[in-house]
Amino acid sequence: MIKDIQQEILKLKKENDICILAHSYVAHEIIEIADFTGDSYALSVKAKDAPQKTVIMVGVRFMAETVKILSPEKKVILANPGAGCAMADQMDRELISEVKKSYPDYKVVAYINTTASLKTICDVCVTSSSAVKIVKALPDKNILFIPDCNLGAYVAEQLPEKNIKLLQGGCPVHAAVSADEAIKAKKEHPNALLLVHPECKAEVVKLADYVGSTSGIMDFAGKSDCREFIIGTELSIAEHLQYQYPDKMFYYLSDKLICKNMRLNTLYDVYNAIVGRSGEEIILDGKTIADARKCIDEMIRLGG
Ligand code: 13P
Ligand code: SF4
């Protein structure tokens, strides 16, 4: 049954010149039919270079908006219109415009998990895989880092020469994991390495053997000589890794690591988006695209 739908999707996407981008958090059967999969940074760069005129994003809304900003001439469809990002929805343009008044000589660095509208008033975007590199490359010392205070704290720790101001925001999924859970998991699996996403709290990051983006974690686990890993990000990553490396063992850091938004995406959503039965076309006005693009282009320039 799954194979039949997958075959139909592969046929239809070829006939209709469609590129399917899937974030690494979506289900295995979607990853199998995607043209590109990866972390937020890889997807935004791939989207820019994809030759197809239509892109279906199987991920969350800010990712589809990023594709539209980078490729305004393309038709960009978010496979499941209900898939937002709890972090991206925490801070809007009005709030940050007010905050900026208190920090006039600060560069505003926005995690890519922000709305297109908010990006229009920020100086540069970063992703989890590029944040340290980009903040380091900025000539400015004073940085206002939004919205993820955990990723921001991780960047600040790596770059003590910078003066980084943080706001109280972040991913409720990753931030729910405690140091006690990490200590317990390490006790249960004494031979495993702990690989953690920087959206986790500093107390968890401190215990990790490796800290990185979703793709960074997957690459590290693949290349490592170690046979066992505790995965500190969405449960789907441990699942994908287990398929990819059946001779290694992958354990969940915490069963709280479930992103309900990402999990809204199904293989049927992809099929329905292709045949025009569902999905939402991302529409952004020209000024939002032009203003938001500046900080995404800056991210690609400094992070490339
Ligand atoms: P990555 O950039 O690591 O893919 O992270 C995106 C995300 O939303 C993690 O929660
Ligand atoms: Fe957003 Fe967190 Fe889900 Fe990532 S895991 S998409 S940051 S809510």
Side-chain angles (χ1 to χ4, degrees):
M1 185 68 173
I2 286 180
K3 283 268 171 273
D4 294 341
I5 306 166
Q6 285 180 319
Q7 285 310 319
E8 194 58 19
I9 290 173
L10 290 172
K11 180 170 93 56
L12 288 171
K13 84 177 170 72
K14 204 167 170 193
E15 284 171 10
N16 294 288
D17 194 31
I18 292 172
C19 171
I20 298 176
L21 298 179
H23 186 266
S24 317
Y25 283 163
V26 302
H28 182 70
E29 64 265 24
I30 301 174
I31 298 284
E32 284 182 322
I33 51 88
D35 293 272
F36 297 110
T37 62
D39 63 11
S40 307
Y41 185 77
L43 289 184
S44 52
V45 176
K46 287 287 182 205
K48 198 160 109 355
D49 302 335
Q52 293 92 341
K53 292 188 180 65
T54 303
V55 176
I56 295 180
M57 168 57 75
V58 199
V60 293
R61 183 169 292 272
F62 78 80
M63 296 176 180
E65 286 186 347
T66 304
V67 175
K68 184 67 185 173
I69 293 163
L70 285 167
S71 307
E73 72 292 353
K74 289 182 185 163
K75 182 173 180 177
V76 179
I77 298 166
L78 176 62
N80 188 313
C85 164
M87 164 153 39
D89 294 337
Q90 283 165 355
M91 290 180 196
D92 62 13
R93 193 187 143 100
E94 288 64 40
L95 173 80
I96 298 303
S97 298
E98 272 311 300
V99 173
K100 275 175 72 165
K101 289 180 190 161
S102 308
Y103 298 99
D105 55 347
Y106 280 63
K107 274 273 177 283
V108 183
V109 175
Y111 193 20
I112 198 151
N113 298 37
T114 41
T115 63
S117 156
L118 176 51
K119 286 183 177 82
T120 62
I121 55 157
C122 299
D123 296 301
V124 60
C125 272
V126 296
T127 63
S128 54
S129 54
S130 62
V132 173
K133 186 177 179 187
I134 290 173
V135 174
K136 188 174 184 181
L138 288 172
D140 314 75
K141 183 177 165 69
N142 293 335
I143 307 288
L144 176 64
F145 191 101
I146 59 164
D148 188 353
C149 62
N150 289 330
L151 177 63
Y154 175 69
V155 173
E157 173 92 19
Q158 307 299 308
L159 303 173
E161 69 276 20
K162 300 277 179 177
N163 175 30
I164 300 182
K165 288 268 177 269
L166 305 171
L167 299 183
Q168 270 312 312
C171 169
V173 179
H174 287 83
V177 181
S178 66
D180 285 350
E181 282 175 285
I183 292 164
K184 186 166 167 271
K186 285 178 95 161
K187 263 197 197 131
E188 277 170 13
H189 307 291
N191 298 320
L193 295 180
L194 174 62
L195 318 184
V196 156
H197 198 283
E199 288 174 13
C200 289
K201 284 185 201 145
E203 63 183 42
V204 176
V205 167
K206 222 164 48 193
L207 297 166
D209 298 292
Y210 171 82
V211 182
S213 73
T214 51
S215 297
I217 288 174
M218 292 180 86
D219 287 349
F220 183 94
K223 287 182 188 143
S224 170
D225 292 333
C226 186
R227 317 306 299 163
E228 294 178 58
F229 304 89
I230 303 159
I231 302 300
T233 190
E234 224 278 347
L235 303 188
S236 52
I237 298 297
E239 201 180 313
H240 298 325
L241 282 165
Q242 197 61 79
Y243 274 109
Q244 234 174 308
Y245 305 105
D247 55 334
K248 296 185 175 184
M249 287 296 290
F250 299 94
Y251 312 109
Y252 301 141
L253 169 57
S254 161
D255 56 11
K256 292 178 199 142
L257 283 164
I258 295 177
C259 176
K260 289 185 191 145
N261 285 292
M262 282 286 183
R263 289 190 178 232
L264 289 175
N265 290 292
T266 66
L267 192 61
Y268 265 108
D269 288 331
V270 182
Y271 176 79
N272 286 336
I274 291 181
V275 299
R277 268 210 303 246
S278 68
E280 180 186 324
E281 181 176 354
I282 300 294
I283 306 287
L284 297 172
D285 64 78
K287 181 155 171 53
T288 299
I289 289 177
D291 291 350
R293 175 144 191 166
K294 285 183 210 149
C295 76
I296 296 178
D297 278 346
E298 193 62 352
M299 169 184 84
I300 293 174
R301 187 179 74 78
L302 295 170

